[in-house]
Amino acid sequence: MSEATPIRGSCLCGGVTFELVPPTDFVAHCHCKSCRLSHGAAFVTWTGVPMARFRLTAGETLLKWYASSAWIEWGFCSVCGSSMLYRAVAEGHPEAPKVDRMYVTAASLVDPLDKPPLVHVSWEEHLPWLSIPDGLPKHRGKTAERIE
Ligand SMILES: [Zn+2]
Ligand SMILES: [Zn+2]
């Protein structure tokens, strides 16, 4: 089996670059308040890969991690402020993000993703002025419960 071509990603200033080797686990739009505030965006589109298939290719000293709780860290570039990464550093978070995964914002990728987004999660927290008539299922939290 030949090795899959890595998907490259970058922050705005280009100081932090990384790559992930497909296949990705999923691609989903998240509407939770934490994602919105962390990114200053209406929602954040995430993908993820096993940690072993994620590699930082530049900017190790520029990449900083903000711990929002005992479980979660958000990775961002300390020069330009781009938020790109998310990881669980301990078991026990109510939404059970996987500790062996690196979660990556799909919009930080400079190469095409291997699959399209298939779901909206934490839709119960979506901004009231946001309308997304894309036909994709909208779930409560990170559960499989479809609410729209
Ligand atoms: Zn940067
Ligand atoms: Zn979220």
Side-chain angles (χ1 to χ4, degrees):
M1 209 174 81
S2 64
E3 175 126 336
T5 305
I7 302 170
R8 295 167 301 162
S10 174
C11 65
L12 177 62
C13 77
V16 176
T17 61
F18 55 87
E19 58 187 33
L20 45 94
V21 176
T24 57
D25 292 342
F26 70 94
V27 184
H29 304 298
C30 185
H31 296 264
C32 83
K33 188 179 177 187
S34 296
C35 283
R36 290 192 279 109
L37 293 184
S38 172
H39 293 255
F43 59 93
V44 179
T45 308
W46 291 102
T47 186
V49 288
M51 208 59 92
R53 286 198 272 112
F54 175 87
R55 193 165 73 92
L56 203 60
T57 45
E60 195 169 355
T61 59
L62 305 180
L63 179 63
K64 303 297 181 194
W65 295 90
Y66 165 65
S68 59
S69 72
W71 302 294
I72 301 301
E73 291 183 347
W74 306 73
F76 62 97
C77 173
S78 57
V79 173
C80 68
S82 294
S83 290
M84 300 165 283
L85 305 172
Y86 176 104
R87 66 185 180 189
V89 292
E91 302 277 3
H93 186 278
E95 292 179 342
K98 296 174 179 168
V99 294
D100 63 345
R101 289 303 197 271
M102 184 68 85
Y103 298 93
V104 179
T105 52
S108 300
L109 301 173
V110 298
D111 293 322
L113 262 173
D114 62 334
K115 54 174 69 80
L118 292 178
V119 67
H120 294 269
V121 298
S122 293
W123 181 248
E124 75 283 5
E125 296 185 51
H126 80 275
L127 288 166
W129 44 260
L130 186 69
S131 168
I132 305 187
D134 63 1
L136 294 179
K138 293 163 173 151
H139 289 192
R140 182 182 308 286
K142 278 66 176 180
T143 71
E145 183 194 346
R146 185 171 179 170
I147 54 177
E148 203 175 310

